[in-house]
Amino acid sequence: MLNNLKIGTKFNLLLLLVFIISIAVSGVILSSVLQQRAQREVSSQALLLMKTMNSVRTYTQERINPLLAPQLETATAFIPETVPAFSATEVFENFRQTEGNENFLYKEATLNPTNLRDKADDFEIQLVEQFRKDPKLPQLVGLRSLPEGEVFYIARPLAITKESCLRCHSTPELAPKSQLTTYGQKNGFGWKLNEIVAAQIISVPSKEIFNHARSSLSLIMGLLIAIFAVVLLLINFLIKKTVIQRIKKIEKIAQKVSTGDMSADFDETAKDEIGGLAAAFNRMKSSLKIAMDMLNQQGY
């Protein structure tokens, strides 16, 4: 079938094939790059919030807790502000009250928490168990579907690294009375030093960012298709102008010569391959004319 096609058609098919392959390869590469960029953007937001919450935890542990801890034995109700996890959670809740941040989430998902609002769900339990199986694992990241929509999460292990933390979480007998009065004796005990008890999880809404990446991909691909289409038309025009039309001109002259019209010349001044072909045809025409003149002189 290809042998029956004209050169112009063959060139167009070849260019179209190159066009399709180029667009497909470009689309795959761009999609990967934009997805990675979107994930880095979401991850950077999550890490920034994680560092902020850790700063709140550190401040509470080193500055607030020493000030309020002596009051725990005499207070009628437990003072939750002495707990780093409580302070971090409350600060993050204030952050979520600002416009545009409603779908950001923070949780110190704990297997056996004192405050049941920190109780890990099934998904979070799996994260904690993974950290327990591999204590050297620094963090886990991924996507998770929540009622708020799809979110990107980053989770890091939380372990008991200070003896002072065991005062409230080893046994009920050692815990402050105000803690027992507020939270009871059933939850938040039995923790051990250096044991991973929770996963610190920041969840960042990713739908908008990934949608933006997909929109950018569509825009860039549209521009690429338009550019490729213009290039395709330009190449097609140049091929017709510099190759096809010149070959057709030589073909028409060759047809005249083949019918005995020796007055037609292969007029081609260019020094390229087509010009060389025209010069060869002119020499062939001259040789043919000489041969025909000799035959006419001999009476053939």
Side-chain angles (χ1 to χ4, degrees):
M1 182 181 293
L2 290 176
N3 292 332
N4 297 328
L5 297 177
K6 294 183 178 181
I7 293 178
T9 304
K10 290 180 180 179
F11 268 117
N12 285 332
L13 290 176
L14 179 60
L15 289 173
L16 183 61
L17 178 62
V18 172
F19 172 77
I20 293 173
I21 293 175
S22 300
I23 289 296
V25 172
S26 300
V28 172
I29 295 174
L30 278 172
S31 177
S32 177
V33 170
L34 290 174
Q35 286 292 326
Q36 291 177 7
R37 180 180 177 183
Q39 184 163 334
R40 284 196 300 269
E41 182 179 347
V42 174
S43 181
S44 65
Q45 290 183 359
L47 286 173
L48 180 60
L49 290 172
M50 182 78 75
K51 291 177 181 178
T52 303
M53 293 304 100
N54 284 333
S55 297
V56 174
R57 287 176 54 85
T58 300
Y59 180 80
T60 302
Q61 183 69 37
E62 296 179 356
R63 302 294 296 273
I64 304 301
N65 186 277
L67 292 175
L68 298 180
Q71 303 179 31
L72 294 178
E73 292 296 339
T74 58
T76 56
F78 186 70
I79 306 174
E81 285 75 15
T82 60
V83 182
F86 179 87
S87 297
T89 302
E90 289 299 310
V91 168
F92 200 89
E93 284 302 311
N94 288 335
F95 166 76
R96 292 185 66 222
Q97 300 305 314
T98 57
E99 185 177 355
N101 299 324
E102 299 85 356
N103 292 329
F104 287 81
L105 301 172
Y106 175 79
K107 185 176 181 180
E108 297 189 11
T110 310
L111 298 182
N112 180 24
T114 301
N115 190 336
L116 292 181
R117 78 171 179 178
D118 299 326
K119 181 73 174 178
D121 59 26
D122 292 340
F123 177 81
E124 295 160 348
I125 289 174
Q126 293 178 10
L127 296 180
V128 178
E129 292 299 333
Q130 283 185 261
F131 287 128
R132 285 188 164 188
K133 289 178 182 178
D134 186 3
K136 294 182 179 180
L137 190 64
Q139 65 182 30
L140 293 169
V141 298
L143 294 174
R144 180 185 182 188
S145 294
L146 294 174
E148 295 83 359
E150 190 175 63
V151 297
F152 174 86
Y153 72 86
I154 179 169
R156 290 183 174 178
L158 285 176
I160 301 300
T161 58
K162 295 183 179 181
E163 288 278 359
S164 58
C165 296
L166 295 178
R167 180 193 177 195
C168 298
H169 298 289
S170 57
T171 62
E173 290 74 21
L174 296 178
K177 294 181 180 179
S178 58
Q179 175 186 337
L180 300 178
T181 301
T182 302
Y183 296 108
Q185 303 183 21
K186 295 182 179 180
N187 302 309
F189 297 106
W191 296 11
K192 299 178 181 179
L193 189 65
N194 297 321
E195 179 186 30
I196 295 175
V197 297
Q200 186 183 28
I201 305 171
I202 290 282
S203 298
V204 178
S206 59
K207 182 177 180 181
E208 183 176 345
I209 294 177
F210 282 105
N211 283 344
H212 179 70
R214 283 188 284 268
S215 298
S216 298
L217 176 62
S218 299
L219 177 61
I220 294 174
M221 289 304 299
L223 290 174
L224 282 177
I225 290 174
I227 292 171
F228 273 117
V230 171
V231 171
L232 181 65
L233 293 174
L234 180 61
I235 291 176
N236 188 56
F237 171 78
L238 292 176
I239 288 175
K240 284 184 177 181
K241 193 73 174 177
T242 60
V243 179
I244 305 300
Q245 290 180 0
R246 294 168 65 193
I247 292 177
K248 285 183 176 181
K249 182 179 178 181
I250 292 175
E251 179 191 7
K252 290 179 180 179
I253 297 173
Q255 288 176 352
K256 291 181 179 180
V257 172
S258 68
T259 59
D261 184 2
M262 294 300 173
S263 64
D265 287 326
F266 296 93
D267 186 17
E268 187 66 52
T269 58
K271 303 299 182 181
D272 56 12
E273 289 81 355
I274 296 178
L277 178 63
F281 271 117
N282 277 326
R283 289 193 297 270
M284 184 182 68
K285 188 194 75 167
S286 299
S287 298
L288 180 60
K289 184 177 180 181
I290 294 171
M292 290 180 66
D293 289 343
M294 291 176 63
L295 289 175
N296 289 332
Q297 290 176 2
Q298 296 176 8
Y300 290 97

